[in-house]
Amino acid sequence: MAMAQRGSLSLKSLERTTLREQCLVALRSAITSGQLSAGEHLVETELSEAFGVSRGTLREALRRLEQEGLVVAGPRGRLSVRTVSLEEVTDIYRVRASLEALAARTLSEDAERQDKVAKLKKAAERLHQSEGDLQAQVEADLAFHRLLCELTDNQALISTWSNLEGPIRMTFMHAGTELALRNMSADRHMTIVDAIMTGDTRQAENVVIEHMDEAVRRLHDAFATLDKAASNAD
């Protein structure tokens, strides 16, 4: 009887965890895609009803999103979707460029890098396979860049990059669908893979830096377009 009770409790815990993870993924997707817009206040009663979960489960997912930097607490603890400024976007991509250039350099120095390059190629192929599906492509893009860092086995590098993942997601939302998809094209990422395969460390670093610089230039244009539209509306 005691064993049966323990088994039941274990299953309930598993079901709750699965539901929380599903809620977390759905919320993260809604923010990244812009369904929940930057600055929007998050009303627990509305969201728990929309996702079909308890408010307790929803709160757990929201706490995780707050830790990731997608959600922020305002006055009286009210949660809202984080907004990022152009300056923050620029800073995020500068740090990314440094981290991922180091990763590219490290991998290009590896005399036995063929297997790692093969894994990166597969990750780039997933970007191609997900073309046209914004959310799938966002996940494939993040997976590629996360893998680039993970393949170095540099735990400090991996940890630092992981802390940026939430803010990186916010830049996708501000970019808009068309620009986000252009920045996440498979061809742009295969250029990084090819540079690493050459073993030329400087080329590998420079390709990553240019990859990030181009993304920032496009994001600057997107912010300028938003500012112009806002001014015209006024």
Side-chain angles (χ1 to χ4, degrees):
M1 184 70 176
M3 287 183 66
Q5 288 177 335
R6 284 199 295 271
S8 177
L9 287 172
S10 176
L11 286 174
K12 286 180 180 179
S13 176
L14 178 61
E15 288 169 1
R16 182 183 178 192
T17 300
T18 302
L19 193 59
R20 182 189 63 201
E21 289 300 317
Q22 290 174 343
C23 181
L24 175 63
V25 169
L27 280 167
R28 195 186 283 133
S29 174
I31 292 172
T32 305
S33 66
Q35 287 178 283
L36 292 172
S37 57
E40 182 173 345
H41 291 297
L42 302 175
V43 182
E44 285 186 5
T45 51
E46 294 178 1
L47 289 173
S48 61
E49 183 176 342
F51 290 113
V53 297
S54 69
R55 292 178 67 178
T57 297
L58 178 72
R59 286 193 193 107
E60 290 178 359
L62 288 173
R63 277 197 294 270
R64 175 73 176 272
L65 291 177
E66 189 175 5
Q67 292 169 355
E68 292 179 5
L70 291 173
V71 168
V72 293
R76 300 177 183 176
R78 291 186 64 186
L79 295 176
S80 61
V81 178
R82 178 182 175 180
T83 61
V84 290
S85 66
L86 181 56
E87 290 74 20
E88 286 178 292
V89 169
T90 302
D91 289 344
I92 289 166
Y93 273 83
R94 281 177 176 166
V95 175
R96 280 192 73 185
S98 297
L99 293 172
E100 295 187 31
L102 173 59
R105 178 184 181 89
T106 301
L107 295 179
S108 65
E109 290 173 336
D110 188 342
E112 300 179 355
R113 60 186 173 279
Q114 288 83 357
D115 288 346
K116 294 179 179 180
V117 168
K119 291 178 181 179
L120 285 171
K121 281 185 177 179
K122 287 184 180 180
E125 286 168 6
R126 283 193 286 274
L127 275 164
H128 178 70
Q129 293 163 2
S130 62
E131 284 180 0
D133 183 336
L134 176 60
Q135 193 53 44
Q137 204 152 4
V138 165
E139 297 307 323
D141 180 272
L142 288 169
F144 176 92
H145 291 280
R146 188 186 306 114
L147 179 63
L148 176 67
C149 295
E150 288 174 345
L151 289 172
T152 67
D153 292 325
N154 182 328
Q155 294 305 312
L157 170 59
I158 296 165
S159 176
T160 305
W161 188 93
S162 296
N163 288 334
L164 285 176
E165 187 168 336
I168 291 169
R169 286 178 180 277
M170 297 305 301
T171 68
F172 292 143
M173 183 183 73
H174 283 274
T177 302
E178 182 179 351
L179 176 55
L181 291 174
R182 284 171 60 199
N183 279 344
M184 295 184 289
S185 72
D187 288 345
R188 293 186 72 237
H189 292 75
M190 276 306 302
T191 303
I192 296 173
V193 179
D194 292 340
I196 291 170
M197 189 59 207
T198 66
D200 185 329
T201 56
R202 180 164 295 182
Q203 180 185 352
E205 287 178 322
N206 288 341
V207 165
V208 169
I209 291 169
E210 176 53 32
H211 180 96
M212 297 301 169
D213 285 349
E214 183 181 24
V216 169
R217 287 194 297 269
R218 290 175 174 177
L219 286 164
H220 273 248
D221 291 342
F223 270 80
T225 299
L226 288 172
D227 288 343
K228 185 176 180 180
S231 297
N232 290 339
D234 293 338

